[in-house]
Amino acid sequence: MTTEALDPADVPVVILAGGMGMRLREETERVPKPMVMIGGKPIIWHIMRHYATHGFRRFMICLGYKSWVVKEYFLNYAEEMSDLRIDLSRGGVTLIRDEPIEDWEVTLVETGMHTGSTGRLLGVRRYIDTPHFMFTYGDGVGDVDLGALRRAHLARGRRVTVTGVKPVSRYGILTHDEDRVTAFAEKPEIAEGYVSGGFFCLDTDVIDRLEPLRDEGFFETDLLPELVAEGDVGIHRHHGFWHSMDTYRDFVHLNELWDAGDAPWQTW
């Protein structure tokens, strides 16, 4: 099967889920950052549901800090998502659910407690059996068109494609003429340039370039600049919603959006 003919259902999605999330210690002292809840579900579930909307179903999760919390969640996933009928005399349990459980294949990989993104990618390399794969962080949500990201990657022939986003400023912006304010925008989209939204499509052989860096390196700072200099990194521009959960303030904001029924990343 050619790369272009690969169904999204066959393409691995690698999710980083091993960091300690020190800036969100109010929550991450109990659970790893990707298990912090939005609307009663871990943020990693929201990310996976969004990928599933675009046809992806093979997830490879890079574990580290409090890895058992993630393992326990997926081991008990069917029970958590279903009603239960328990026969107390015989000890039998029947799952009752109107809709089928997600058709996901989830590979949970121990990639080290303090490993950088380089070591985490090397840790899942043996499970990636396709010429390219999707790659993302376990702490950011958005309504990114992941199918378009993948198609752009395949069409342009570069080894890495990154989603470029323009985050919203936390502060109002004043435009002025000397001492007179001429315009005010409350929390506008940043006008200059793009930042990485953390949704990537990568050629699998890129991981081979990480070997000399081993566990101490970081894909974003140690290899990506080299690939940029070689002209091997493309951009997929995204102008819809995107938000990372770096701080407690972000945690509160994302939960407020969900509770209000105004969560733009809910594409399912």
Side-chain angles (χ1 to χ4, degrees), residues 8-28:
D10 297 320
V11 177
V13 178
V14 175
I15 304 177
L16 297 182
M20 299 181 70
M22 296 299 292
R23 288 188 290 176
L24 192 57
R25 270 180 288 182
E26 296 90 340
E27 296 295 317
T28 57

Side-chain angles (χ1 to χ4, degrees), residues 34-249:
M35 294 299 295
V36 173
M37 299 290 180
I38 300 176
K41 295 288 191 296
I43 188 172
I44 195 170
W45 177 88
H46 292 261
I47 295 167
M48 294 166 75
R49 283 298 304 264
H50 178 56
Y51 267 98
T53 300
H54 293 274
F56 298 93
R57 58 168 297 277
R58 296 182 65 200
F59 298 99
M60 299 177 184
I61 302 177
C62 304
L63 304 178
Y65 173 67
K66 293 186 180 293
S67 62
W68 176 247
V69 177
V70 185
K71 288 182 174 179
E72 190 172 39
Y73 176 73
F74 285 105
L75 283 169
N76 298 319
Y77 186 84
E79 287 81 0
E80 179 171 329
M81 302 298 285
S82 305
D83 294 340
L84 302 179
R85 179 176 293 127
I86 304 171
D87 186 331
L88 296 179
S89 63
R90 297 188 180 95
V93 178
T94 302
L95 305 185
I96 306 170
R97 185 172 169 84
D98 294 331
E99 299 177 357
I101 296 293
E102 283 79 18
D103 181 26
W104 296 349
E105 176 189 279
V106 183
T107 305
L108 302 165
V109 186
E110 294 285 355
T111 57
M113 174 71 85
H114 302 292
T115 311
S117 53
T118 290
R120 300 202 190 283
L121 281 168
L122 286 168
V124 298
R125 175 67 179 90
R126 64 188 182 275
Y127 299 115
I128 300 174
D129 54 5
T130 53
H132 66 277
F133 65 99
M134 309 299 286
F135 171 52
T136 194
Y137 307 132
D139 62 357
V141 290
D143 57 355
V144 178
D145 188 336
L146 299 167
L149 166 61
R150 179 174 173 248
R151 290 191 296 273
H153 180 77
L154 298 178
R156 295 168 185 165
R158 294 188 176 94
R159 300 176 74 189
V160 174
T161 302
V162 58
T163 299
V165 300
K166 290 191 172 184
V168 173
S169 171
R170 289 185 175 178
Y171 307 101
I173 300 296
L174 297 173
T175 303
H176 64 94
D177 178 10
E178 295 186 352
D179 61 352
R180 181 176 67 90
V181 174
T182 58
F184 174 74
E186 175 65 10
K187 298 183 178 180
E189 183 180 87
I190 293 174
E192 295 289 331
Y194 291 84
V195 300
S196 169
F199 291 90
F200 296 84
C201 188
L202 276 67
D203 284 358
T204 303
D205 63 4
V206 165
I207 300 180
D208 298 335
R209 294 274 295 268
L210 299 174
E211 189 63 41
L213 302 172
R214 296 309 304 166
D215 293 349
E216 294 77 17
F218 290 89
F219 166 75
E220 304 83 354
T221 56
D222 294 318
L223 179 58
L224 201 57
E226 291 183 15
L227 294 171
V228 168
E230 295 166 11
D232 242 345
V233 179
I235 183 172
H236 172 67
R237 295 175 180 84
H238 173 64
H239 290 280
F241 178 86
W242 173 85
H243 204 295
S244 63
M245 190 169 61
D246 292 325
T247 65
Y248 189 75
R249 179 176 179 171

